[in-house]
Amino acid sequence: MSPFRPDIVDVWLFRPAPGGDLEILLLRRSPGRILPGLWQCVSGRLEPGETIPAGALRELREETGIGAEQIAGFYDLDQINQFHEPSVGAVISGVIFAVRLRGGAEVTLSHEHDAMRWVSPGEALELTVWPAYRESIRRIVENLTDPARVIWFELTLAGERARH
């Protein structure tokens, strides 16, 4: 296999809502940053030598304060996005993950975001702009809430497939 290293990782957070439905966390980008006001998931660059899953979990910790003890499930959404970013004059690629939080997990925003909202999948689809974001939300709903499917997407916190 030829190695392909993405530029960024995205991590969507979700949890059961009161009443058994699903809630997805949206973060709003702070003023003074590229795309201020955009509702998004955790997103950031990989560091040199860092594995892709480790980068996703590091970005999650940096942007939300969520660590291993608060994670109930870590998933590869089987999604790679590519988009043109004019500010760097390049096509950026990203690997997309999702994390199911344990009950009682508390999110602490970093300086990168100025607001957060737990919303239903329908509200998340309305608030997100990029088609790739909406696709990620659909994949969470369709694959990670179905007990027969979720097992195929689950990773260990070391980034290995949980199902062998």
Side-chain angles (χ1 to χ4, degrees):
M1 286 194 268
S2 64
F4 174 76
R5 187 157 173 84
D7 303 293
I8 64 170
V9 288
D10 285 350
V11 185
W12 290 90
L13 281 82
F14 69 101
R15 67 183 185 189
D21 292 331
L22 182 72
E23 291 181 316
I24 295 175
L25 181 66
L26 293 181
L27 307 171
R28 188 175 65 196
R29 292 180 68 89
S30 294
R33 300 188 68 226
I34 186 172
L35 304 172
L38 179 76
W39 288 101
Q40 67 171 164
C41 61
V42 167
S43 185
R45 292 188 173 120
L46 285 174
E47 293 181 354
E50 186 173 50
T51 67
I52 298 166
L57 294 172
R58 176 189 49 76
E59 284 291 338
L60 177 66
R61 193 172 42 261
E62 289 176 2
E63 293 187 22
T64 66
I66 297 294
E69 65 283 350
Q70 296 162 299
I71 296 173
F74 180 41
Y75 308 96
D76 183 335
L77 285 184
D78 191 34
Q79 183 181 9
I80 298 172
N81 296 330
Q82 291 186 314
F83 58 93
H84 172 248
E85 178 46 57
S87 67
V88 295
V91 172
I92 304 294
S93 63
V95 176
I96 318 306
F97 296 92
V99 164
R100 181 171 41 90
L101 294 181
R102 294 188 188 283
E106 294 289 330
V107 173
T108 304
L109 291 182
S110 73
H111 68 281
E112 296 182 35
H113 301 97
D114 66 356
M116 66 179 209
R117 291 176 64 182
W118 284 102
V119 297
S120 70
E123 290 172 292
L125 289 169
E126 289 177 22
L127 288 168
T128 53
V129 175
W130 307 126
Y133 285 1
R134 292 194 301 275
E135 176 60 24
S136 298
I137 293 161
R138 284 187 205 85
R139 287 180 187 220
I140 290 167
V141 171
E142 291 174 10
N143 298 315
L144 304 187
T145 61
D146 181 335
R149 288 184 181 180
V150 68
I151 59 174
W152 300 102
F153 297 90
E154 189 166 10
L155 300 173
T156 68
L157 293 182
E160 307 276 332
R161 293 225 176 260
R163 182 177 177 96
H164 297 284

